[in-house]
Amino acid sequence: MELFFQQVFNGIMLGSTYALVALGLTLVLGILNVSNFAHGDLYMLAAYITFTLIVNYSIGFWPAVLVSMVTLAIVGVFIEKFVFRPLRDQSPINPFIAAVGLMLFLETFVIVVWGPRGQRIPNPYPGAVDLFGISTTQQRLIVVVAAVVLIGLLQLFIKRTTMGATIEATAQDREGAALVGINVNRVSSVTFAIAGALAAAAASLIAPIFMIAPGMGALPVMKAFAIIILGGVGSIPGAIAGAYVLGMVESLGGGYLSAAYKDVYAFGALVLVLAIRPTGLFGKEEH
Amino acid sequence: MGIWGFVRSKWLYLLILVLALALPLAHPNRYWFQVVIISLVWSIATLSLNLILGYTGQPSLAHGAYFGVGAYAVGLLTLKLHMSFWLALPTAGVLAALVGLIIGVPSMRMRGHYFAIGTLCFGVIIYTIAGNWMELTGGFTGLLGIPNPNAIPIPGIGRISFANQINQYYLVLVLLLITLFVMHRIVYSLVGYGFMAIRNNEVLAAAVGINTFRNKLLSLTISNFIVGVAGGLYAVILGSISPSAAHFNITFYLLLYLLLGGVASLAGPILGAFALPLIMENLQFISEYRNLVFGPLLIIVIIYWPRGVMGGLVDLKQRVQNYYQFRKAGAARAVASAETDQAI
């Protein structure tokens, strides 16, 4: 039973990072109709920026995370402006392919700057914590709490601010939003900035626990896409629920069945859901 | 159109064919010859992706995985079951098509980029299985020592052995020509028009009575059979394979070849599959960093030249023709107006 709860907690931790990655991705997908495959490489880039700040410039963990988030927000704005904005009115596969190009570029860029070998960020909070009989580390606990805080802040931003309202309006109807005077270009920039910052937060928080490597973004982004499809495209609660479900499936499957195939469960779950409900768990019917 | 007319209209393609057939006479060095042979294999694979993506409009991104299924099928059948290569190759195609059916039926429920993402996820599943099923696939070490295609005995002449590069080259070239022929027949048939109708507007296609689900599945099956065969050729030419033959990077490279060469054309995929690997080999000194060039190149092409080099050439030709037709029309109008003047 102890093992079970241990796995559940690991599932929650994994789910928290997936949620942060998937939220940014679902915002971009739902609002701009761009399936940004390079999102995983933004995640990876962020991990390396945090690594450099901590290891080479000996900046504290939290300031490093913050700088990384801001940097990635700026990178996101640039990407939107120079890669995805010119492709806005083309068929949806074209932005996807541009994203693949971006992915190839970013991955190689990181290899050029930091080398192909994996790196490790020293764990700022290695202390063990005993939580209702489950032993874990402080860092893992921080990941879970930080994810909840960030998700809450994002929800507040979207529901309570004017900027958030314009984002929602653009998601519902781009032309309608433009018609009532919303600057959709600015909404696009802000959305990409948020997505970049969330990816940076996820990567920076989890980097001290796992190794960082140039290929580390490929699987999380694919899982994030699986989560989005699971939860229903454009649905924020769907993405959050999907992320935790996936984290749990992976953790329990990896713990009880076989760790080598843990990546398969995620995509297997996706297949199962799609076979039953092609619009995802929380998705609206197509129109 | 007599034979002469055919030669006149297709002289460029015929010239390329003659050059391709004569290539071994130039005694290219082993290394470059290998690059050319592998490019031929990529051409076959890219043509197959073109059928499902370019003509049917379904971005099936598990294509790298199907390629891997074909490669592993040939490798395992010839190595472990000692099956003849000539039987193993079509079997590889059939297996890839079957896997495609298993994946295709649930993913066809999705549309547009959801289909793309869904199929990509399936591709990762296949890659993970290839890397972890030690007993069957040899894990990440892969399969080594895949035998050359069995020699074909020809009565009176002897045996055609495929242990040398020249015969391997002709083998792949012939299969590429067959693929090209099949693609040509499909694209200009009623079935092909059905595929293109689905690509252009799926709802409208369904409304005019095209069974979209069955047609998409048919296109996927044909496409997968061909990519499976390409994978099989890849395995036998390299003589060893690892899970990287099923990696999604293969899909991305095929996409790159297809888009840069020209999507939804027959010459484009071959152009892309030849030009890019050759350029990459020439850029050996930056080989590790070539994606620094290719990534942005892909973005620029998709923004400014979404139909690739072939699309650009077709546009150019159209413009030139329009220009001349306009001039001709102008001249005709001038003549006509002159005649009217005379009539009055």
Side-chain angles (χ1 to χ4, degrees), chain B residues 61-274:
Chain B
L61 298 187
H63 239 65
Y66 302 136
F67 185 85
V69 168
Y72 270 100
V74 163
L76 289 170
L77 289 173
T78 54
L79 263 179
K80 302 217 164 155
L81 296 182
H82 305 289
M83 195 189 261
S84 160
F85 168 77
W86 306 105
L87 199 59
L89 193 65
T91 314
V94 170
L95 276 174
L98 272 180
V99 173
L101 273 180
I102 297 168
I103 292 175
V105 172
S107 21
M108 286 293 175
R109 294 168 66 104
M110 301 177 272
R111 273 167 233 273
H113 40 191
Y114 310 122
F115 178 79
I117 296 158
T119 48
L120 197 61
C121 293
F122 279 112
V124 178
I125 296 183
I126 293 178
Y127 169 74
T128 315
I129 292 173
N132 287 302
W133 194 352
M134 289 301 289
E135 301 79 36
L136 187 71
T137 64
F140 284 94
T141 343
L143 301 173
L144 301 170
I146 298 166
N148 284 319
N150 311 54
I152 310 178
I154 293 187
I157 302 173
R159 290 148 60 85
I160 303 178
S161 147
F162 286 93
N164 60 21
Q165 266 191 321
I166 294 177
N167 287 354
Q168 287 181 0
Y169 169 78
Y170 281 122
L171 167 68
V172 184
L173 184 63
V174 165
L175 284 170
L176 172 62
L177 291 174
I178 294 173
T179 310
L180 206 50
F181 176 73
V182 170
M183 284 296 163
H184 191 270
R185 296 295 299 192
I186 292 173
V187 168
Y188 294 103
S189 71
L190 209 54
V191 176
Y193 292 143
F195 292 167
M196 285 181 248
I198 294 171
R199 174 193 67 193
N200 294 345
N201 189 335
E202 194 170 335
V203 180
L204 190 61
V208 298
I210 295 170
N211 186 336
T212 54
F213 183 79
R214 219 170 57 193
N215 271 287
K216 284 195 286 187
L217 219 51
L218 177 66
S219 171
L220 187 71
T221 309
I222 299 170
S223 172
N224 285 348
F225 179 84
I226 296 170
V227 83
V229 169
L233 286 171
Y234 181 79
V236 84
I237 295 224
L238 290 189
S240 65
I241 42 168
S242 67
S244 64
H247 199 257
F248 50 83
N249 274 344
I250 301 256
T251 311
F252 292 155
Y253 279 120
L254 293 181
L255 262 181
L256 199 68
Y257 301 156
L258 179 58
L259 284 153
L260 289 181
V263 71
S265 68
L266 288 176
I270 300 177
L271 187 71
F274 256 91

Side-chain angles (χ1 to χ4, degrees), chain A residues 35 37 96 108 112 222 271, chain B residues 61 113-114 120 122 124 289 291:
Chain A
S35 36
F37 204 75
F96 182 85
T108 321
V112 170
M222 262 185 255
V271 177
Chain B
L61 298 187
H113 40 191
Y114 310 122
L120 197 61
F122 279 112
V124 178
Y289 310 128
N291 285 346

